[in-house]
Amino acid sequence: MSKNFDYEAICMPLPKENVADILHDNACETIIFDSSLLFDTTFRKDLHSRTHLKAIILVNGEVDYSLRQIISSHADGMIDCTFDMDIIVLIITAVMKGFQCLPKSPLKDVNLNSQLSLLTQREREVLHFVSQGVSNKSIADFLGVSYKTVCVHRYNIMYKLKVDKLSAVSSTEKLSKPAA
């Protein structure tokens, strides 16, 4: 586990029929579960009626529009299992502190240049530094932001560009320069 994770975690794989009990139990503050449970309407009802418990959905790869809508209305956060550990820890920590970590919907079937237009100026700057091999800590120092802020920018870039690793994008020469 990452050195930046300041919470005690207990991992318990549970049978599907026992997960609903956890939603109404005060034994934990946050639950992370597979998105397949969202297809069970009873589970969704229980999840929606929870009071104190934070819910994070675990997905694998691209999420279609209907599942994204369900996740947005029933969860506090979403983690793609392809994310780097630092991003996963950042999302869990943010949700436990009361923030929502649900990515905005990227446009489907658009070319790379259109996807790049989705990036903010700061995200383009971070992408530029990443393409030069600069570490997150050095990027944070140079931009005058926190390390965690750089991790959030990286997460947003990966989600908007629909890539699992920034190296898949940043190796392209045309991406190595931030927009003016």
Side-chain angles (χ1 to χ4, degrees):
M1 190 54 86
S2 172
K3 63 183 179 204
N4 296 327
F5 195 66
D6 298 327
Y7 296 92
E8 181 179 332
I10 299 171
C11 300
M12 302 179 305
L14 296 171
K16 182 179 174 181
E17 55 273 1
N18 294 74
V19 175
D21 296 336
I22 296 293
L23 294 175
H24 301 292
D25 189 2
N26 289 326
C28 61
E29 296 177 20
T30 305
I31 184 173
I32 301 173
F33 59 90
D34 187 77
S35 61
S36 63
L37 287 173
L38 290 173
F39 295 105
D40 181 324
T41 54
T42 304
F43 177 76
R44 275 203 323 249
K45 181 181 172 192
D46 288 340
L47 181 62
H48 193 69
S49 67
R50 75 191 190 284
T51 54
H52 70 285
L53 186 67
K54 306 279 192 251
I56 301 174
I57 314 264
L58 182 64
V59 299
N60 187 9
E62 190 167 330
V63 178
D64 68 17
Y65 179 77
S66 60
L67 182 57
R68 199 167 39 246
Q69 293 299 103
I70 293 170
I71 290 171
S72 294
S73 61
H74 291 84
D76 301 295
M78 184 183 88
I79 296 173
D80 190 322
C81 62
T82 62
F83 289 163
D84 291 332
M85 184 55 74
D86 285 340
I87 301 295
I88 292 171
V89 169
L90 179 69
I91 292 169
I92 293 170
T93 303
V95 168
M96 292 179 82
K97 289 183 178 181
F99 294 97
Q100 272 200 328
C101 292
L102 298 168
K104 296 177 183 172
S105 304
L107 299 176
K108 290 190 176 225
D109 301 322
V110 293
N111 65 37
L112 186 59
N113 288 332
S114 295
Q115 287 176 297
L116 286 174
S117 69
L118 296 173
L119 300 181
T120 66
Q121 178 63 32
R122 183 63 84 174
E123 289 166 349
R124 288 173 187 252
E125 291 170 345
V126 169
L127 181 59
H128 168 72
F129 287 119
V130 169
S131 71
Q132 302 301 313
V134 179
S135 71
N136 287 353
K137 175 71 173 126
S138 296
I139 295 170
D141 291 344
F142 183 80
L143 296 177
V145 298
S146 74
Y147 172 83
K148 289 183 178 184
T149 299
V150 173
C151 289
V152 169
H153 286 311
R154 287 178 63 111
Y155 166 79
N156 288 335
I157 293 166
M158 289 187 303
Y159 190 78
K160 288 177 181 180
L161 299 182
K162 297 189 254 182
V163 296
D164 296 335
K165 296 186 186 300
L166 284 184
S167 60
V169 187
S170 60
S171 61
T172 308
E173 181 60 34
K174 66 183 176 182
L175 299 180
S176 63
K177 297 176 185 170

